[in-house]
């Protein structure tokens, strides 16, 4: 059975011919059942992304309702990913410059010490499921320059924060999300600011201050880099394991081969399948009128079927992902680490399902047949 609709496709075993047909035959349409517009072709997706009325959050809900008021909501509301406006553009430019400079510095450090800081390799399927979500945060925490003793705590806080986001999160999860956000901010403030920080971070803080951006907003967005890396990184690594298993890939594996496999995952089984925009005013796009207040689902995985090498899974235009190169390298390193520690991807690829998520395609290897979470 093909997927019933583009949200169903995210967890479908093989949605890609459905996505290709969607992109070609229904580039932009209103889906009455989903109560959303759907853009599925590179041109219509780009046109929506470019439109000034298309925002990353609904006008009346800058932060998910359940998170407000509280520290998790405050943190979420500060992420560049969740903001439009001129302030977004300035902060985004600083973050992009920071990531580039830090990448150059790290490259030199790694030549001296190639050991990558990753969590210990897991022994069973449940451990792999946790590793998928932890490893990208460990790698990103290391990238920010945090001491390795802090990586596991960062991963735990980001995961608690992440679990508080869904609309159906209960009071306990939300309280844990607020506490995690507060601890994370305190940890980053204590360890990433001040005279001891690395040159790229010092420059980020100085440039932000010169631009009138508060230190709190910078710190929140460093937490944002940890957050952005987590679920998408889990999806990239998980789908890489599945692809490695199906292709019979095993050790010994070079880093270049691992990177090439990650690139194939980005092309053929991407980690993020869609994102959304919320229209603040009515807009004429692709010959159709989208009314103010409507949501548009941008089906990135469908656009990939038309332009497989464009990296659609990382978005485009104003909110394009600044972490593409890092995500690719971190996933390749984590894959190598797992395979070298004896993980058997062929066994994993034989039995898994996808987590019931609306946009990330994350395989889950440890589950009961009849459970749904
Ligand atoms: C497999 C891994 C990743 C995928 C698939 C991914 C995908 C995306 C996508 C699709 C967007 C744009 C969302 C939209 O326009 O609605 C985005 C934004 C963003 N990503 Fe990534 N990402 C990944 C990893 C990372 C990493 C490792 C970082 C950290 C350096 C990062 C940082 C960001 C930030 C800060 C934004 C917001 C940019 C903005 O709003 O201007 N991402 N990412």
């Amino acid at each position: 059975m093909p997927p019933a609709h583009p949200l169903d496709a995210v967890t479908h075993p093989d949605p890609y011919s459905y996505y290709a047909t969607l992109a070609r035959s229904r580039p932009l349409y209103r889906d009455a059942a989903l109560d959303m517009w759907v853009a599925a072709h590179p041109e219509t997706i780009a046109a929506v992304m470019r439109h000034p009325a298309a925002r990353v959050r609904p006008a009346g809900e800058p932060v998910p309702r359940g998170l407000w008021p509280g520290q998790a909501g405050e943190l979420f509301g500060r992420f560049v990913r969740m903001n439009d406006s001129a302030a977004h553009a300035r902060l985004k430019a600083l973050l992009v410059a920071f990531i580039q400079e830090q990448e150059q510095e790290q490259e030199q450090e790694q030549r001296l010490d190639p050991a990558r800081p990753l969590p210990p390799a897991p022994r069973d399927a449940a451990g792999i499921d946790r590793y998928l979500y932890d490893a990208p945060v460990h790698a990103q925490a290391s990238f920010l320059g945090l001491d390795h003793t802090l990586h596991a705590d960062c991963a735990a806080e980001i995961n608690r924060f992440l679990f508080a986001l869904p609309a159906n999160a209960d009071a306990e999860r939300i309280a844990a999300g607020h506490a995690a956000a507060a601890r994370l901010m305190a940890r980053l403030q204590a360890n990433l600011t001040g005279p001891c920080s690395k040159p790229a971070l010092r420059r980020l803080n100085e440039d932000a201050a010169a631009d009138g951006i508060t230190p709190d907003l910078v710190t929140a967005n460093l937490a944002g880099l940890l957050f952005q890396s987590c679920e998408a990184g889990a999806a990239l690594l998980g789908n890489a394991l599945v692809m490695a298993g199906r292709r019979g890939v095993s050790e010994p594996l070079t880093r270049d081969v691992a990177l090439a496999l990650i690139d194939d995952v980005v092309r053929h089984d991407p980690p993020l399948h869609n994102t959304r925009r919320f229209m603040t005013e009515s807009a004429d796009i692709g010959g159709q009128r989208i009314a103010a207040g409507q949501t548009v689902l941008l089906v990135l995985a469908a656009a990939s079927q038309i332009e497989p090498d464009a990296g659609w899974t990382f978005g485009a235009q104003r909110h394009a992902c600044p972490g593409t190169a890092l995500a690719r390298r971190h996933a390749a390193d984590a894959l190598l680490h797992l395979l070298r520690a004896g993980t058997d991807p062929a066994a994993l690829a034989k039995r898994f399902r996808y987590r019931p998520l609306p946009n990330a395609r994350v395989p889950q290897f440890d589950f009961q047949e009849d459970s749904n979470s």
Side-chain angles (χ1 to χ4, degrees), residues 49 56 80-83 88 92 95 99 140 143 224-226 228-229 232-233 236 271-272 275-277 300 312-316 318-324 326-327 330:
M49 285 176 160
V56 286
V80 285
R81 164 71 183 82
M82 308 303 167
N83 282 278
H88 159 266
K92 171 86 175 272
L95 287 173
I99 291 171
Q140 191 61 34
F143 178 77
L225 298 185
L226 298 176
Q228 293 293 142
S229 67
L236 183 56
L272 278 195
T275 187
R276 293 176 195 213
R277 291 294 183 269
L300 305 172
W312 275 103
T313 195
F314 293 103
R318 293 200 294 279
H319 286 276
C321 180
T324 305
L326 279 182
H330 291 168

Side-chain angles (χ1 to χ4, degrees), residues 5-296:
H5 53 69
L7 292 181
D8 189 33
V10 178
T11 53
H12 188 277
D14 186 9
Y16 298 109
S17 58
Y18 162 83
Y19 278 137
T21 308
L22 193 70
R24 291 199 175 89
S25 63
R26 307 189 83 184
L28 181 66
Y29 70 99
R30 182 159 159 73
D31 190 313
L34 295 179
D35 189 22
M36 279 193 268
W37 281 81
V38 176
H41 189 279
E43 279 173 21
T44 52
I45 293 176
V48 173
M49 285 176 160
R50 270 196 306 267
H51 201 285
R55 304 292 165 83
V56 286
R57 291 292 306 166
E61 199 186 336
V63 168
R65 276 188 230 295
L67 292 190
W68 193 258
Q71 289 103 325
E74 260 171 49
L75 182 58
F76 183 99
R78 287 171 162 169
F79 292 160
V80 285
R81 164 71 183 82
M82 308 303 167
N83 282 278
D84 290 291
S85 82
H88 159 266
R90 286 208 309 278
L91 190 50
K92 171 86 175 272
L94 293 179
L95 287 173
V96 168
F98 162 70
I99 291 171
Q100 277 169 2
E101 190 179 339
Q102 185 74 337
E103 271 189 286
Q104 283 165 9
E105 267 175 37
Q106 279 227 333
E107 231 175 56
Q108 284 169 2
E109 276 174 27
Q110 266 169 36
R111 246 178 265 138
L112 301 173
D113 175 16
R116 298 282 306 179
L118 283 164
R123 294 176 187 280
D124 55 14
I128 300 270
D129 285 338
R130 277 194 302 276
Y131 187 89
L132 297 185
Y133 278 81
D134 285 348
V137 186
H138 277 244
Q140 191 61 34
S142 159
F143 178 77
L144 293 182
L146 288 168
D147 189 79
H148 75 274
T149 55
L150 302 171
H151 297 180
D153 288 340
C154 285
E157 311 298 17
I158 288 292
N159 277 293
R160 286 190 194 104
F161 176 75
L162 191 65
F163 287 159
L165 298 185
N168 64 357
D170 61 18
E172 201 180 325
R173 275 189 177 193
I174 290 178
H178 288 315
R183 279 194 302 268
L184 191 62
M185 279 296 280
R187 182 165 300 126
L188 297 189
Q189 263 149 4
N191 291 283
L192 291 181
T193 51
C196 303
S197 62
K198 300 255 171 83
L201 267 179
R202 273 209 305 277
R203 193 154 10 255
L204 171 64
N205 287 318
E206 285 161 13
D207 291 351
D211 246 358
I213 295 170
T214 62
D216 263 14
L217 188 56
V218 176
T219 310
N221 276 283
L222 294 176
L225 298 185
L226 298 176
F227 167 66
Q228 293 293 142
S229 67
C230 184
E231 192 148 70
L236 183 56
L237 179 56
N239 294 338
L241 277 174
V242 169
M243 190 178 276
R246 287 177 174 160
R247 287 184 178 179
V249 172
S250 59
E251 261 288 278
L253 195 68
T254 62
R255 193 159 189 250
D256 283 346
V257 173
L259 283 166
L261 188 105
I262 296 297
D263 289 341
D264 275 355
V265 175
V266 167
R267 269 187 223 104
H268 302 301
D269 196 15
L272 278 195
H273 281 201
N274 63 65
T275 187
R276 293 176 195 213
R277 291 294 183 269
F278 305 89
M279 306 306 292
T280 53
E281 289 167 29
S282 67
D284 292 313
I285 296 175
Q288 313 211 50
R289 165 146 291 210
I290 304 180
Q294 293 279 299
T295 301
V296 189

Side-chain angles (χ1 to χ4, degrees), residues 324-353:
T324 305
L326 279 182
R328 177 178 177 265
R329 279 202 298 279
H330 291 168
D333 286 341
L335 179 66
L336 279 175
H337 182 69
L338 285 177
L339 296 186
R340 284 177 187 162
T343 299
D344 178 2
L348 291 172
K350 278 197 193 117
R351 184 183 181 276
F352 71 93
R353 67 176 188 182

